[in-house]
Amino acid sequence: MGPPLGQAVEFISSVLSQRGPQAVPYEERNKWTIREHLSDLLKMFPNLTIKVSEYHTNDGRILHLIKAEGTIPIHYQAHKYNIPVVVWLPERYPLQAPIVYVCPTANMIIKAGHTYVDPSGLVRTSCIANWLHPSSDLSTACQEMAMLFGAEPPLYTKPPGYVPPPGQQQGPGSSSSNPYAGYASMQQQQQGMMQHVPPPGGLQQQQHNGGYPNHAAAQQQQPDPNLASHSLWGPAYAAATAAGSGVRPPDAAAAAAGVGYAARPPPPPALDPKQQQVEELKGSFQALAVRALGGRLQAGLEAFNRHAAEEMDGLLEVQRKLVARDRELQGMVSAIQQERAGTEGLVTQLGRQSAALEAWLNEHEWKADAVAAAAEASGQLDVNKVVVPADDLSRQALAAQAEDCAVEDVLLALEKGMLQGKLAPDVYMKQVRLLCRKQFLARALGLKVAAAQRQQPQPRSSGSSGAACMLTHGDTWSHR
């Protein structure tokens, strides 16, 4: 059982983000795909473990590649078995198919003539042979491999005294060129996993010996090839027995009468040298044509993969821009909503103030009518009686406001006189200095009066029930 999925994903991320001489040689644009493929593989096959190891290429390079090693469960004849494998991710993955090997332990050998596994343990299934990114992935390849191995197991128990054929050293670590050399520790771990092992094809009735099927038992069911020279019934019987045709020896009467079996057919005639040369040329041409066609298909596939990758990068860039614009628009919408809320609050406040002002005007309208009637009766308007202060503070505020506005008018008149040449600049500066001092004192008094008015309840005007009006002082300053 491998480590937890979370730790494995963190390890994969750290390996893919590593820099320096120990960094993996995968392209940056493919690292996210590699991480996703390995995560899906570990979810489906938790017995696999992700590692980084040296891989010796055919051209003599040494690369640090990612591999997934462990066991893949298969089901054969109502029994569950674990097949040890190692999956290498080449430097051009996922554009290039993964390299998968079956790793027999010390007491196992690879089944000779297996459909999908060669004597070195290399796996060549349909998904791996027809690998096409982005439709192919590791999970699909391992699922297909488990299904095919369930139909035809690639391993069985090594018989006692087994000696591998010349040039075929099976098992991990037996050859320096074997890419899964050095799995001795994994061999010991796998020994306890193989409790039920499928028999090789054609030996359905063979008894299990606790591990992979015994090769010696399989050989006992095969006919002895020496029957051709020692059989009493001649070579035809031996050939028929070897072929499994179920032929039985003739009875005694047929033997006495000299009835036997037909002799072996003569060998086929030798081919003409010219015809043989033509056949060799045909084979060579066919091989070259297949190789050229395969090269063209591979080049076309690589060009398609590059185009698809570039298109995918372009789509991801467009997605990134759209996400950034979405965040910007969301911020603008939030700002507009806040501004709208502030404007609505200001409108509400101004509405309340407007209603209060209308109420005040309706309440004091009669005063304006009385002043207008008195002015009409007397023939002149007394401006001092138009605005009547409610208390002493209001009287002081009104006086300070009047003095401030009067000083402001005098300053404006002095400025016009100097600009028209009627007043000398030194005289202008002297008068402005004196007037500004008076204006400052008036405004200071107005601010003190306003502060005192805030601390007291609003006075009531005489003869009315409305609130007194608090004056502002100066051109640009007010009670705050």
Side-chain angles (χ1 to χ4, degrees), residues 204-226:
Q204 302 295 336
Q205 303 299 327
Q206 179 179 317
Q207 298 294 330
H208 293 281
N209 56 2
Y212 277 85
N214 194 330
H215 186 63
Q219 288 181 345
Q220 290 177 3
Q221 296 188 6
Q222 301 296 333
D224 189 357
N226 296 327

mmCIF file with all atom_site columns, all heavy atoms in Angstrom, residues 204-226:
data_model
loop_
_atom_site.group_PDB
_atom_site.id
_atom_site.type_symbol
_atom_site.label_atom_id
_atom_site.label_alt_id
_atom_site.label_comp_id
_atom_site.label_asym_id
_atom_site.label_entity_id
_atom_site.label_seq_id
_atom_site.pdbx_PDB_ins_code
_atom_site.Cartn_x
_atom_site.Cartn_y
_atom_site.Cartn_z
_atom_site.occupancy
_atom_site.B_iso_or_equiv
_atom_site.pdbx_formal_charge
_atom_site.auth_seq_id
_atom_site.auth_comp_id
_atom_site.auth_asym_id
_atom_site.auth_atom_id
_atom_site.pdbx_PDB_model_num
ATOM 1   N N   . GLN A 1 204 ? -5.552  -25.991 -17.986 1.00 0.00 ? 204 GLN A N   1
ATOM 2   C CA  . GLN A 1 204 ? -6.656  -25.583 -17.151 1.00 0.00 ? 204 GLN A CA  1
ATOM 3   C C   . GLN A 1 204 ? -6.840  -26.501 -15.949 1.00 0.00 ? 204 GLN A C   1
ATOM 4   O O   . GLN A 1 204 ? -7.386  -26.075 -14.946 1.00 0.00 ? 204 GLN A O   1
ATOM 5   C CB  . GLN A 1 204 ? -7.948  -25.553 -17.989 1.00 0.00 ? 204 GLN A CB  1
ATOM 6   C CG  . GLN A 1 204 ? -7.876  -24.625 -19.184 1.00 0.00 ? 204 GLN A CG  1
ATOM 7   C CD  . GLN A 1 204 ? -7.737  -23.196 -18.748 1.00 0.00 ? 204 GLN A CD  1
ATOM 8   O OE1 . GLN A 1 204 ? -8.120  -22.861 -17.648 1.00 0.00 ? 204 GLN A OE1 1
ATOM 9   N NE2 . GLN A 1 204 ? -7.157  -22.364 -19.594 1.00 0.00 ? 204 GLN A NE2 1
ATOM 10  N N   . GLN A 1 205 ? -6.402  -27.738 -16.004 1.00 0.00 ? 205 GLN A N   1
ATOM 11  C CA  . GLN A 1 205 ? -6.628  -28.696 -14.927 1.00 0.00 ? 205 GLN A CA  1
ATOM 12  C C   . GLN A 1 205 ? -5.425  -28.833 -14.020 1.00 0.00 ? 205 GLN A C   1
ATOM 13  O O   . GLN A 1 205 ? -5.384  -29.724 -13.191 1.00 0.00 ? 205 GLN A O   1
ATOM 14  C CB  . GLN A 1 205 ? -6.984  -30.083 -15.519 1.00 0.00 ? 205 GLN A CB  1
ATOM 15  C CG  . GLN A 1 205 ? -8.195  -30.052 -16.449 1.00 0.00 ? 205 GLN A CG  1
ATOM 16  C CD  . GLN A 1 205 ? -9.421  -29.594 -15.720 1.00 0.00 ? 205 GLN A CD  1
ATOM 17  O OE1 . GLN A 1 205 ? -9.571  -29.863 -14.530 1.00 0.00 ? 205 GLN A OE1 1
ATOM 18  N NE2 . GLN A 1 205 ? -10.307 -28.908 -16.438 1.00 0.00 ? 205 GLN A NE2 1
ATOM 19  N N   . GLN A 1 206 ? -4.440  -27.984 -14.172 1.00 0.00 ? 206 GLN A N   1
ATOM 20  C CA  . GLN A 1 206 ? -3.214  -28.134 -13.379 1.00 0.00 ? 206 GLN A CA  1
ATOM 21  C C   . GLN A 1 206 ? -3.455  -27.693 -11.941 1.00 0.00 ? 206 GLN A C   1
ATOM 22  O O   . GLN A 1 206 ? -4.140  -26.725 -11.669 1.00 0.00 ? 206 GLN A O   1
ATOM 23  C CB  . GLN A 1 206 ? -2.108  -27.276 -14.008 1.00 0.00 ? 206 GLN A CB  1
ATOM 24  C CG  . GLN A 1 206 ? -0.789  -27.340 -13.244 1.00 0.00 ? 206 GLN A CG  1
ATOM 25  C CD  . GLN A 1 206 ? 0.244   -26.487 -13.932 1.00 0.00 ? 206 GLN A CD  1
ATOM 26  O OE1 . GLN A 1 206 ? 0.306   -26.556 -15.145 1.00 0.00 ? 206 GLN A OE1 1
ATOM 27  N NE2 . GLN A 1 206 ? 1.012   -25.748 -13.195 1.00 0.00 ? 206 GLN A NE2 1
ATOM 28  N N   . GLN A 1 207 ? -2.885  -28.408 -11.002 1.00 0.00 ? 207 GLN A N   1
ATOM 29  C CA  . GLN A 1 207 ? -3.032  -28.084 -9.587  1.00 0.00 ? 207 GLN A CA  1
ATOM 30  C C   . GLN A 1 207 ? -2.056  -26.985 -9.227  1.00 0.00 ? 207 GLN A C   1
ATOM 31  O O   . GLN A 1 207 ? -0.932  -26.969 -9.696  1.00 0.00 ? 207 GLN A O   1
ATOM 32  C CB  . GLN A 1 207 ? -2.762  -29.327 -8.722  1.00 0.00 ? 207 GLN A CB  1
ATOM 33  C CG  . GLN A 1 207 ? -3.726  -30.464 -8.969  1.00 0.00 ? 207 GLN A CG  1
ATOM 34  C CD  . GLN A 1 207 ? -5.133  -30.112 -8.539  1.00 0.00 ? 207 GLN A CD  1
ATOM 35  O OE1 . GLN A 1 207 ? -5.315  -29.345 -7.626  1.00 0.00 ? 207 GLN A OE1 1
ATOM 36  N NE2 . GLN A 1 207 ? -6.123  -30.670 -9.221  1.00 0.00 ? 207 GLN A NE2 1
ATOM 37  N N   . HIS A 1 208 ? -2.482  -26.058 -8.361  1.00 0.00 ? 208 HIS A N   1
ATOM 38  C CA  . HIS A 1 208 ? -1.621  -24.977 -7.907  1.00 0.00 ? 208 HIS A CA  1
ATOM 39  C C   . HIS A 1 208 ? -0.718  -25.475 -6.793  1.00 0.00 ? 208 HIS A C   1
ATOM 40  O O   . HIS A 1 208 ? -1.081  -26.314 -5.980  1.00 0.00 ? 208 HIS A O   1
ATOM 41  C CB  . HIS A 1 208 ? -2.474  -23.803 -7.387  1.00 0.00 ? 208 HIS A CB  1
ATOM 42  C CG  . HIS A 1 208 ? -3.258  -23.138 -8.468  1.00 0.00 ? 208 HIS A CG  1
ATOM 43  N ND1 . HIS A 1 208 ? -2.717  -22.242 -9.337  1.00 0.00 ? 208 HIS A ND1 1
ATOM 44  C CD2 . HIS A 1 208 ? -4.570  -23.273 -8.815  1.00 0.00 ? 208 HIS A CD2 1
ATOM 45  C CE1 . HIS A 1 208 ? -3.636  -21.821 -10.162 1.00 0.00 ? 208 HIS A CE1 1
ATOM 46  N NE2 . HIS A 1 208 ? -4.763  -22.444 -9.863  1.00 0.00 ? 208 HIS A NE2 1
ATOM 47  N N   . ASN A 1 209 ? 0.494   -24.925 -6.729  1.00 0.00 ? 209 ASN A N   1
ATOM 48  C CA  . ASN A 1 209 ? 1.436   -25.308 -5.677  1.00 0.00 ? 209 ASN A CA  1
ATOM 49  C C   . ASN A 1 209 ? 1.665   -24.148 -4.708  1.00 0.00 ? 209 ASN A C   1
ATOM 50  O O   . ASN A 1 209 ? 2.723   -24.052 -4.095  1.00 0.00 ? 209 ASN A O   1
ATOM 51  C CB  . ASN A 1 209 ? 2.772   -25.750 -6.288  1.00 0.00 ? 209 ASN A CB  1
ATOM 52  C CG  . ASN A 1 209 ? 3.363   -24.676 -7.184  1.00 0.00 ? 209 ASN A CG  1
ATOM 53  O OD1 . ASN A 1 209 ? 2.783   -23.604 -7.305  1.00 0.00 ? 209 ASN A OD1 1
ATOM 54  N ND2 . ASN A 1 209 ? 4.499   -24.955 -7.784  1.00 0.00 ? 209 ASN A ND2 1
ATOM 55  N N   . GLY A 1 210 ? 0.696   -23.232 -4.585  1.00 0.00 ? 210 GLY A N   1
ATOM 56  C CA  . GLY A 1 210 ? 0.821   -22.146 -3.633  1.00 0.00 ? 210 GLY A CA  1
ATOM 57  C C   . GLY A 1 210 ? 1.378   -20.892 -4.240  1.00 0.00 ? 210 GLY A C   1
ATOM 58  O O   . GLY A 1 210 ? 1.370   -19.860 -3.622  1.00 0.00 ? 210 GLY A O   1
ATOM 59  N N   . GLY A 1 211 ? 1.868   -20.903 -5.481  1.00 0.00 ? 211 GLY A N   1
ATOM 60  C CA  . GLY A 1 211 ? 2.407   -19.705 -6.114  1.00 0.00 ? 211 GLY A CA  1
ATOM 61  C C   . GLY A 1 211 ? 2.025   -19.701 -7.563  1.00 0.00 ? 211 GLY A C   1
ATOM 62  O O   . GLY A 1 211 ? 0.933   -20.082 -7.922  1.00 0.00 ? 211 GLY A O   1
ATOM 63  N N   . TYR A 1 212 ? 2.921   -19.246 -8.416  1.00 0.00 ? 212 TYR A N   1
ATOM 64  C CA  . TYR A 1 212 ? 2.654   -19.302 -9.854  1.00 0.00 ? 212 TYR A CA  1
ATOM 65  C C   . TYR A 1 212 ? 2.732   -20.762 -10.315 1.00 0.00 ? 212 TYR A C   1
ATOM 66  O O   . TYR A 1 212 ? 3.408   -21.594 -9.695  1.00 0.00 ? 212 TYR A O   1
ATOM 67  C CB  . TYR A 1 212 ? 3.674   -18.453 -10.607 1.00 0.00 ? 212 TYR A CB  1
ATOM 68  C CG  . TYR A 1 212 ? 3.297   -17.028 -10.624 1.00 0.00 ? 212 TYR A CG  1
ATOM 69  C CD1 . TYR A 1 212 ? 3.637   -16.192 -9.569  1.00 0.00 ? 212 TYR A CD1 1
ATOM 70  C CD2 . TYR A 1 212 ? 2.575   -16.521 -11.689 1.00 0.00 ? 212 TYR A CD2 1
ATOM 71  C CE1 . TYR A 1 212 ? 3.262   -14.867 -9.584  1.00 0.00 ? 212 TYR A CE1 1
ATOM 72  C CE2 . TYR A 1 212 ? 2.207   -15.184 -11.718 1.00 0.00 ? 212 TYR A CE2 1
ATOM 73  C CZ  . TYR A 1 212 ? 2.547   -14.366 -10.664 1.00 0.00 ? 212 TYR A CZ  1
ATOM 74  O OH  . TYR A 1 212 ? 2.197   -13.049 -10.686 1.00 0.00 ? 212 TYR A OH  1
ATOM 75  N N   . PRO A 1 213 ? 2.078   -21.128 -11.406 1.00 0.00 ? 213 PRO A N   1
ATOM 76  C CA  . PRO A 1 213 ? 2.040   -22.532 -11.835 1.00 0.00 ? 213 PRO A CA  1
ATOM 77  C C   . PRO A 1 213 ? 3.446   -23.087 -12.051 1.00 0.00 ? 213 PRO A C   1
ATOM 78  O O   . PRO A 1 213 ? 4.344   -22.413 -12.519 1.00 0.00 ? 213 PRO A O   1
ATOM 79  C CB  . PRO A 1 213 ? 1.252   -22.481 -13.144 1.00 0.00 ? 213 PRO A CB  1
ATOM 80  C CG  . PRO A 1 213 ? 0.474   -21.218 -13.070 1.00 0.00 ? 213 PRO A CG  1
ATOM 81  C CD  . PRO A 1 213 ? 1.282   -20.268 -12.275 1.00 0.00 ? 213 PRO A CD  1
ATOM 82  N N   . ASN A 1 214 ? 3.585   -24.416 -11.689 1.00 0.00 ? 214 ASN A N   1
ATOM 83  C CA  . ASN A 1 214 ? 4.877   -25.077 -11.807 1.00 0.00 ? 214 ASN A CA  1
ATOM 84  C C   . ASN A 1 214 ? 5.147   -25.403 -13.274 1.00 0.00 ? 214 ASN A C   1
ATOM 85  O O   . ASN A 1 214 ? 4.343   -26.040 -13.938 1.00 0.00 ? 214 ASN A O   1
ATOM 86  C CB  . ASN A 1 214 ? 4.870   -26.360 -10.957 1.00 0.00 ? 214 ASN A CB  1
ATOM 87  C CG  . ASN A 1 214 ? 6.274   -26.904 -10.770 1.00 0.00 ? 214 ASN A CG  1
ATOM 88  O OD1 . ASN A 1 214 ? 7.131   -26.723 -11.628 1.00 0.00 ? 214 ASN A OD1 1
ATOM 89  N ND2 . ASN A 1 214 ? 6.498   -27.567 -9.653  1.00 0.00 ? 214 ASN A ND2 1
ATOM 90  N N   . HIS A 1 215 ? 6.293   -24.969 -13.747 1.00 0.00 ? 215 HIS A N   1
ATOM 91  C CA  . HIS A 1 215 ? 6.644   -25.209 -15.150 1.00 0.00 ? 215 HIS A CA  1
ATOM 92  C C   . HIS A 1 215 ? 6.908   -26.691 -15.407 1.00 0.00 ? 215 HIS A C   1
ATOM 93  O O   . HIS A 1 215 ? 6.664   -27.203 -16.496 1.00 0.00 ? 215 HIS A O   1
ATOM 94  C CB  . HIS A 1 215 ? 7.878   -24.383 -15.500 1.00 0.00 ? 215 HIS A CB  1
ATOM 95  C CG  . HIS A 1 215 ? 8.229   -24.445 -16.953 1.00 0.00 ? 215 HIS A CG  1
ATOM 96  N ND1 . HIS A 1 215 ? 7.396   -23.967 -17.946 1.00 0.00 ? 215 HIS A ND1 1
ATOM 97  C CD2 . HIS A 1 215 ? 9.330   -24.954 -17.582 1.00 0.00 ? 215 HIS A CD2 1
ATOM 98  C CE1 . HIS A 1 215 ? 7.952   -24.147 -19.112 1.00 0.00 ? 215 HIS A CE1 1
ATOM 99  N NE2 . HIS A 1 215 ? 9.111   -24.733 -18.928 1.00 0.00 ? 215 HIS A NE2 1
ATOM 100 N N   . ALA A 1 216 ? 7.417   -27.395 -14.388 1.00 0.00 ? 216 ALA A N   1
ATOM 101 C CA  . ALA A 1 216 ? 7.691   -28.827 -14.569 1.00 0.00 ? 216 ALA A CA  1
ATOM 102 C C   . ALA A 1 216 ? 6.408   -29.601 -14.769 1.00 0.00 ? 216 ALA A C   1
ATOM 103 O O   . ALA A 1 216 ? 6.319   -30.525 -15.573 1.00 0.00 ? 216 ALA A O   1
ATOM 104 C CB  . ALA A 1 216 ? 8.458   -29.366 -13.357 1.00 0.00 ? 216 ALA A CB  1
ATOM 105 N N   . ALA A 1 217 ? 5.354   -29.197 -14.010 1.00 0.00 ? 217 ALA A N   1
ATOM 106 C CA  . ALA A 1 217 ? 4.073   -29.878 -14.192 1.00 0.00 ? 217 ALA A CA  1
ATOM 107 C C   . ALA A 1 217 ? 3.515   -29.644 -15.573 1.00 0.00 ? 217 ALA A C   1
ATOM 108 O O   . ALA A 1 217 ? 2.897   -30.512 -16.179 1.00 0.00 ? 217 ALA A O   1
ATOM 109 C CB  . ALA A 1 217 ? 3.075   -29.397 -13.135 1.00 0.00 ? 217 ALA A CB  1
ATOM 110 N N   . ALA A 1 218 ? 3.738   -28.425 -16.077 1.00 0.00 ? 218 ALA A N   1
ATOM 111 C CA  . ALA A 1 218 ? 3.270   -28.161 -17.440 1.00 0.00 ? 218 ALA A CA  1
ATOM 112 C C   . ALA A 1 218 ? 4.010   -29.001 -18.455 1.00 0.00 ? 218 ALA A C   1
ATOM 113 O O   . ALA A 1 218 ? 3.432   -29.474 -19.439 1.00 0.00 ? 218 ALA A O   1
ATOM 114 C CB  . ALA A 1 218 ? 3.445   -26.671 -17.757 1.00 0.00 ? 218 ALA A CB  1
ATOM 115 N N   . GLN A 1 219 ? 5.301   -29.238 -18.204 1.00 0.00 ? 219 GLN A N   1
ATOM 116 C CA  . GLN A 1 219 ? 6.064   -30.031 -19.152 1.00 0.00 ? 219 GLN A CA  1
ATOM 117 C C   . GLN A 1 219 ? 5.653   -31.502 -19.119 1.00 0.00 ? 219 GLN A C   1
ATOM 118 O O   . GLN A 1 219 ? 5.773   -32.217 -20.103 1.00 0.00 ? 219 GLN A O   1
ATOM 119 C CB  . GLN A 1 219 ? 7.556   -29.904 -18.848 1.00 0.00 ? 219 GLN A CB  1
ATOM 120 C CG  . GLN A 1 219 ? 8.122   -28.536 -19.203 1.00 0.00 ? 219 GLN A CG  1
ATOM 121 C CD  . GLN A 1 219 ? 9.595   -28.448 -18.906 1.00 0.00 ? 219 GLN A CD  1
ATOM 122 O OE1 . GLN A 1 219 ? 10.126  -29.307 -18.178 1.00 0.00 ? 219 GLN A OE1 1
ATOM 123 N NE2 . GLN A 1 219 ? 10.264  -27.460 -19.453 1.00 0.00 ? 219 GLN A NE2 1
ATOM 124 N N   . GLN A 1 220 ? 5.123   -31.942 -17.924 1.00 0.00 ? 220 GLN A N   1
ATOM 125 C CA  . GLN A 1 220 ? 4.734   -33.357 -17.836 1.00 0.00 ? 220 GLN A CA  1
ATOM 126 C C   . GLN A 1 220 ? 3.543   -33.657 -18.733 1.00 0.00 ? 220 GLN A C   1
ATOM 127 O O   . GLN A 1 220 ? 3.363   -34.776 -19.186 1.00 0.00 ? 220 GLN A O   1
ATOM 128 C CB  . GLN A 1 220 ? 4.392   -33.694 -16.383 1.00 0.00 ? 220 GLN A CB  1
ATOM 129 C CG  . GLN A 1 220 ? 5.637   -33.698 -15.478 1.00 0.00 ? 220 GLN A CG  1
ATOM 130 C CD  . GLN A 1 220 ? 5.283   -33.960 -14.039 1.00 0.00 ? 220 GLN A CD  1
ATOM 131 O OE1 . GLN A 1 220 ? 4.119   -34.185 -13.733 1.00 0.00 ? 220 GLN A OE1 1
ATOM 132 N NE2 . GLN A 1 220 ? 6.272   -33.971 -13.160 1.00 0.00 ? 220 GLN A NE2 1
ATOM 133 N N   . GLN A 1 221 ? 2.712   -32.673 -19.003 1.00 0.00 ? 221 GLN A N   1
ATOM 134 C CA  . GLN A 1 221 ? 1.556   -32.927 -19.841 1.00 0.00 ? 221 GLN A CA  1
ATOM 135 C C   . GLN A 1 221 ? 1.882   -32.849 -21.321 1.00 0.00 ? 221 GLN A C   1
ATOM 136 O O   . GLN A 1 221 ? 1.053   -33.128 -22.143 1.00 0.00 ? 221 GLN A O   1
ATOM 137 C CB  . GLN A 1 221 ? 0.458   -31.905 -19.504 1.00 0.00 ? 221 GLN A CB  1
ATOM 138 C CG  . GLN A 1 221 ? -0.042  -32.049 -18.088 1.00 0.00 ? 221 GLN A CG  1
ATOM 139 C CD  . GLN A 1 221 ? -1.249  -31.175 -17.848 1.00 0.00 ? 221 GLN A CD  1
ATOM 140 O OE1 . GLN A 1 221 ? -1.738  -30.566 -18.773 1.00 0.00 ? 221 GLN A OE1 1
ATOM 141 N NE2 . GLN A 1 221 ? -1.731  -31.147 -16.616 1.00 0.00 ? 221 GLN A NE2 1
ATOM 142 N N   . GLN A 1 222 ? 3.089   -32.378 -21.678 1.00 0.00 ? 222 GLN A N   1
ATOM 143 C CA  . GLN A 1 222 ? 3.460   -32.301 -23.082 1.00 0.00 ? 222 GLN A CA  1
ATOM 144 C C   . GLN A 1 222 ? 4.063   -33.635 -23.535 1.00 0.00 ? 222 GLN A C   1
ATOM 145 O O   . GLN A 1 222 ? 4.736   -34.333 -22.762 1.00 0.00 ? 222 GLN A O   1
ATOM 146 C CB  . GLN A 1 222 ? 4.486   -31.176 -23.304 1.00 0.00 ? 222 GLN A CB  1
ATOM 147 C CG  . GLN A 1 222 ? 3.971   -29.814 -22.868 1.00 0.00 ? 222 GLN A CG  1
ATOM 148 C CD  . GLN A 1 222 ? 2.792   -29.389 -23.701 1.00 0.00 ? 222 GLN A CD  1
ATOM 149 O OE1 . GLN A 1 222 ? 2.660   -29.809 -24.835 1.00 0.00 ? 222 GLN A OE1 1
ATOM 150 N NE2 . GLN A 1 222 ? 1.910   -28.575 -23.111 1.00 0.00 ? 222 GLN A NE2 1
ATOM 151 N N   . PRO A 1 223 ? 3.866   -34.064 -24.779 1.00 0.00 ? 223 PRO A N   1
ATOM 152 C CA  . PRO A 1 223 ? 4.425   -35.337 -25.265 1.00 0.00 ? 223 PRO A CA  1
ATOM 153 C C   . PRO A 1 223 ? 5.941   -35.273 -25.338 1.00 0.00 ? 223 PRO A C   1
ATOM 154 O O   . PRO A 1 223 ? 6.532   -34.219 -25.549 1.00 0.00 ? 223 PRO A O   1
ATOM 155 C CB  . PRO A 1 223 ? 3.812   -35.486 -26.655 1.00 0.00 ? 223 PRO A CB  1
ATOM 156 C CG  . PRO A 1 223 ? 3.485   -34.088 -27.064 1.00 0.00 ? 223 PRO A CG  1
ATOM 157 C CD  . PRO A 1 223 ? 3.099   -33.371 -25.828 1.00 0.00 ? 223 PRO A CD  1
ATOM 158 N N   . ASP A 1 224 ? 6.541   -36.427 -25.141 1.00 0.00 ? 224 ASP A N   1
ATOM 159 C CA  . ASP A 1 224 ? 7.995   -36.530 -25.181 1.00 0.00 ? 224 ASP A CA  1
ATOM 160 C C   . ASP A 1 224 ? 8.456   -36.439 -26.630 1.00 0.00 ? 224 ASP A C   1
ATOM 161 O O   . ASP A 1 224 ? 8.036   -37.224 -27.477 1.00 0.00 ? 224 ASP A O   1
ATOM 162 C CB  . ASP A 1 224 ? 8.434   -37.868 -24.560 1.00 0.00 ? 224 ASP A CB  1
ATOM 163 C CG  . ASP A 1 224 ? 9.943   -37.922 -24.372 1.00 0.00 ? 224 ASP A CG  1
ATOM 164 O OD1 . ASP A 1 224 ? 10.619  -36.949 -24.786 1.00 0.00 ? 224 ASP A OD1 1
ATOM 165 O OD2 . ASP A 1 224 ? 10.426  -38.923 -23.828 1.00 0.00 ? 224 ASP A OD2 1
ATOM 166 N N   . PRO A 1 225 ? 9.333   -35.498 -26.972 1.00 0.00 ? 225 PRO A N   1
ATOM 167 C CA  . PRO A 1 225 ? 9.794   -35.428 -28.364 1.00 0.00 ? 225 PRO A CA  1
ATOM 168 C C   . PRO A 1 225 ? 10.612  -36.627 -28.794 1.00 0.00 ? 225 PRO A C   1
ATOM 169 O O   . PRO A 1 225 ? 10.812  -36.864 -29.979 1.00 0.00 ? 225 PRO A O   1
ATOM 170 C CB  . PRO A 1 225 ? 10.627  -34.146 -28.371 1.00 0.00 ? 225 PRO A CB  1
ATOM 171 C CG  . PRO A 1 225 ? 11.005  -33.909 -26.960 1.00 0.00 ? 225 PRO A CG  1
ATOM 172 C CD  . PRO A 1 225 ? 9.915   -34.457 -26.118 1.00 0.00 ? 225 PRO A CD  1
ATOM 173 N N   . ASN A 1 226 ? 11.138  -37.449 -27.828 1.00 0.00 ? 226 ASN A N   1
ATOM 174 C CA  . ASN A 1 226 ? 11.930  -38.633 -28.204 1.00 0.00 ? 226 ASN A CA  1
ATOM 175 C C   . ASN A 1 226 ? 11.070  -39.790 -28.680 1.00 0.00 ? 226 ASN A C   1
ATOM 176 O O   . ASN A 1 226 ? 11.594  -40.840 -29.081 1.00 0.00 ? 226 ASN A O   1
ATOM 177 C CB  . ASN A 1 226 ? 12.770  -39.086 -27.011 1.00 0.00 ? 226 ASN A CB  1
ATOM 178 C CG  . ASN A 1 226 ? 13.803  -38.018 -26.633 1.00 0.00 ? 226 ASN A CG  1
ATOM 179 O OD1 . ASN A 1 226 ? 14.301  -37.315 -27.511 1.00 0.00 ? 226 ASN A OD1 1
ATOM 180 N ND2 . ASN A 1 226 ? 14.092  -37.911 -25.346 1.00 0.00 ? 226 ASN A ND2 1
#
